[in-house]
């Protein structure tokens, strides 16, 4: 295995990126499940919410509770992901301060996308497919996760956490 890793360092890095991203993904799912149950289920925070590009007004979007759920889950997931990627995957020697502000830009893009998309995905899952709150929130999290991988890997590798030559 060690020889294969030495012969294919870029492929190994991508595999490691995806495997260790599951730490962030697990954080996102656990927080999404817990907060959906708490904010939407127990506290009934389902009042329609709309602000700028964020639209959680349609039936099935879970309103303000859905918005807060995805906001908090994504912030925590991105915080975990920053340290995992920098220290364990890319083993970057970039300065923490330099990498942090760049990662913050990426995280804002991911967080905004992660707040816009779930309302629509959740609504589609509940109203078109007839799925329940928990399953719909999980599907929305899967969509967010896949999008985050496609956007973040090249930016992390080439811009945010590059290794010195």
């Amino acid at each position: 295995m060690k020889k294969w890793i030495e012969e294919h360092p870029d492929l190994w890095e991508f595999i490691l990126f995806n495997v260790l991203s599951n730490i962030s993904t697990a954080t996102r799912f656990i927080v999404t499940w817990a907060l959906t149950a708490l904010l939407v289920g127990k506290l009934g925070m389902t009042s329609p919410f709309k602000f700028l590009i964020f639209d959680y007004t349609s039936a099935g979007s879970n309103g303000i509770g859905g918005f807060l759920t995805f906001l908090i889950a994504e912030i925590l997931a991105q915080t975990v992901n920053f340290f995992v990627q920098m220290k364990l995957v890319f083993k970057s020697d970039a300065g923490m301060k330099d990498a942090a502000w760049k990662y913050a830009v990426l995280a804002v893009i991911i967080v905004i996308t992660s707040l816009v998309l779930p309302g629509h995905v959740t609504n589609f899952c509940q109203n078109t497919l007839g799925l329940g709150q928990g399953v719909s929130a999980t599907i929305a999290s899967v969509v967010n996760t896949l999008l985050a991988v496609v956007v973040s890997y090249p930016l992390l590798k080439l811009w945010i956490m590059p290794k010195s030559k």
Side-chain angles (χ1 to χ4, degrees):
M1 182 71 172
K2 194 174 197 175
K3 184 177 189 242
W4 184 89
I5 291 170
E6 288 172 3
E7 292 173 356
H8 306 92
D10 290 331
L11 180 57
W12 174 247
E13 183 180 76
F14 185 70
I15 291 168
L16 200 57
F17 169 82
N18 283 289
V19 170
L20 293 180
S21 288
N22 288 316
I23 297 169
S24 171
T25 301
T27 302
R28 183 181 297 110
F29 281 120
I30 291 166
V31 174
T32 297
W33 292 330
L35 290 180
T36 298
L38 176 66
L39 299 179
V40 175
K42 294 277 188 211
L43 299 178
M45 294 177 65
T46 57
S47 298
F49 173 77
K50 185 171 185 168
F51 178 72
L52 300 174
I53 61 173
F54 309 113
D55 187 359
Y56 285 72
T57 58
S58 57
S61 68
N62 294 334
I64 187 70
F67 175 79
L68 291 173
T69 292
F70 286 107
L71 175 63
I72 295 166
E74 199 57 41
I75 289 171
L76 291 174
Q78 292 306 320
T79 301
V80 167
N81 197 48
F82 173 78
F83 291 103
V84 167
Q85 298 305 330
M86 184 156 192
K87 299 300 179 189
L88 301 177
V89 174
F90 296 104
K91 297 180 177 84
S92 177
D93 55 4
M96 183 71 71
K97 193 191 235 182
D98 188 45
W101 79 262
K102 291 175 183 176
Y103 190 83
V105 170
L106 173 62
V108 166
I109 293 167
I110 290 171
V111 168
I112 289 172
T113 303
S114 296
L115 291 172
V116 171
L117 197 55
H120 300 289
V121 173
T122 304
N123 181 41
F124 175 77
C125 289
Q126 288 184 4
N127 295 327
T128 303
L129 302 179
L131 302 174
Q133 283 180 349
V135 173
S136 297
T138 301
I139 291 170
S141 285
V142 168
V143 170
N144 278 346
T145 301
L146 292 174
L147 186 60
V149 168
V150 169
V151 171
S152 65
Y153 180 77
L155 290 175
L156 287 169
K157 181 176 180 67
L158 303 172
W159 181 54
I160 299 170
M161 300 175 182
K163 294 178 187 151
S164 297
K165 298 287 179 197

